[in-house]
Amino acid sequence: MPDPGTGSGAATWDEMAERLLGSLAGRPTGFVLEIGPRDYVPVDDEPGDVVCAQIHVLADGVLMVRRSRRELARLMLVDHSPAGLALDLWHFDDHFDDCTDGYLFSRDVRLVVDTCVTWFRDAENMSSADELGCSFRFPDELPRTDTTMP
């Protein structure tokens, strides 16, 4: 989840969408963008609802976006290949047990971003885009000594 207290700095929901688009541009496979209320602090004994989303960069320009009403776990994907994935179809199959509201695979970055912004804009406890916080995770790289091998 985002760092508590750090707002998005976006004055409008359109500005938030533009910031998310910019945050995803040129990111490597394995990059993860997490979005949620900036003041959220998880409490172990209080399972309250909190709208949150994650966007994972997969291979070949495909993004996976997940939405939940509880904090999403950090996935350790076996691979990032989109082979065999149904694109642009909302999934409610409980494949990810922490993903209470489903997930989507898409190459349409604007669709993914607009979907996230709409979730938060329409959430009853979210009155402005600046109430959102974002955090980024970049994939770890292995320590290569032979740089001639891919």
Side-chain angles (χ1 to χ4, degrees):
M1 288 297 292
D3 295 329
T6 305
S8 69
T12 67
W13 292 108
D14 288 341
E15 188 177 319
M16 184 67 203
E18 293 307 313
R19 287 180 184 222
L20 291 176
L21 283 170
S23 296
L24 292 168
R27 297 302 184 190
T29 298
F31 175 81
V32 178
L33 170 61
E34 295 182 301
I35 312 160
R38 72 174 186 209
D39 59 355
Y40 176 72
V41 178
V43 179
D44 290 336
D45 57 351
E46 282 186 41
D49 280 359
V50 58
V51 175
C52 56
Q54 282 182 346
I55 302 171
H56 290 249
V57 176
L58 303 179
D60 299 326
V62 174
L63 300 172
M64 174 178 63
V65 61
R66 303 189 316 140
R67 181 184 194 262
S68 188
R69 284 169 275 121
R70 65 177 185 235
E71 187 173 4
L72 287 159
R74 294 185 171 185
L75 297 178
M76 293 181 59
L77 301 174
V78 172
D79 67 63
H80 291 88
S81 170
L85 298 177
L87 300 182
D88 301 320
L89 174 69
W90 195 253
H91 298 273
F92 289 106
D93 59 14
D94 296 328
H95 182 79
F96 304 106
D97 63 357
D98 62 341
C99 192
T100 61
D101 295 325
Y103 56 99
L104 171 82
F105 301 104
S106 183
R107 284 190 173 89
D108 188 337
V109 181
R110 176 59 79 172
L111 171 67
V112 168
V113 165
D114 287 347
T115 299
C116 288
V117 169
T118 300
W119 288 334
F120 292 107
R121 184 195 66 212
D122 294 349
E124 61 186 56
N125 61 345
M126 194 73 52
S127 61
S128 78
D130 190 47
E131 292 180 29
L132 288 178
C134 299
S135 64
F136 309 116
R137 285 184 301 141
F138 288 86
D140 293 318
E141 294 194 29
L142 295 172
R144 307 262 184 218
T145 56
D146 182 357
T147 58
T148 61
M149 304 264 319

